[in-house]
Amino acid sequence: MAGLDLSPQLLRAVRARLAADPALRSLVGGRVREAAGAREEWPFLRVDPPEVTPYEAQGWRGCACRLTVHAFLRGARGLGPVQDLLAAVAAALDEADLALARGELLWLSHERSLVLPEPLGPGSWHGVARFGAVAAETT
């Protein structure tokens, strides 16, 4: 039996959680984007479309997803503020119990994060947080 792609439902739920999380709202003001333009107000988060592979287990059919959340921050001389932003992203999503429009989120786990200097100059940072997830429905 082939897998079932539930990634659009997962992506919507992840973006909604990030936008509504109180700790993140204080840091990015609800700016959680699917795509960002050149004039985007910083700081902000961008959530990439997930990588998707089929998932099947006894009684379940769905997809395994790798999610990537990007955090962009300016005006910080050191790593602390972007690391705090990534920690807030991880806290909002790691082991979160998100309701999906279709299927169920079986698990969502923070895998790793990294920080890169953004080429816009000193004090500009790009943080990357990666998550693994499985969304499925019963067969």
Side-chain angles (χ1 to χ4, degrees):
M1 183 181 293
L4 174 66
D5 186 357
L6 298 170
S7 65
Q9 290 84 353
L10 176 60
L11 189 56
R12 278 192 292 279
V14 163
R15 282 198 313 257
R17 170 60 63 96
L18 293 171
D21 184 80
L24 285 169
R25 285 194 69 75
S26 71
L27 295 171
V28 298
R31 289 181 296 279
V32 178
R33 307 292 188 241
E34 192 172 314
R39 295 187 178 165
E40 181 65 53
E41 183 180 346
W42 290 43
F44 67 94
L45 301 176
R46 188 186 79 221
V47 184
D48 285 350
E51 294 176 45
V52 180
T53 58
Y55 174 83
E56 292 182 55
Q58 187 172 356
W60 295 96
R61 181 174 70 111
C63 60
C65 299
R66 175 138 307 132
L67 295 162
T68 304
V69 179
H70 300 269
F72 296 92
L73 182 103
R74 282 188 186 149
R77 297 242 180 245
L79 291 172
V82 73
Q83 288 173 323
D84 292 344
L85 182 51
L86 286 173
V89 168
L93 294 180
D94 189 44
E95 298 184 12
D97 184 18
L98 305 179
L100 305 183
R102 178 179 177 190
E104 296 178 45
L105 179 61
L106 301 183
W107 59 269
L108 175 59
S109 171
H110 179 240
E111 294 178 343
R112 64 186 169 275
S113 294
L114 66 108
V115 175
L116 306 164
E118 184 64 24
L120 296 174
S124 296
W125 300 96
H126 177 185
V128 181
R130 295 227 167 90
F131 297 84
V134 171
E137 56 186 28
T138 57
T139 55

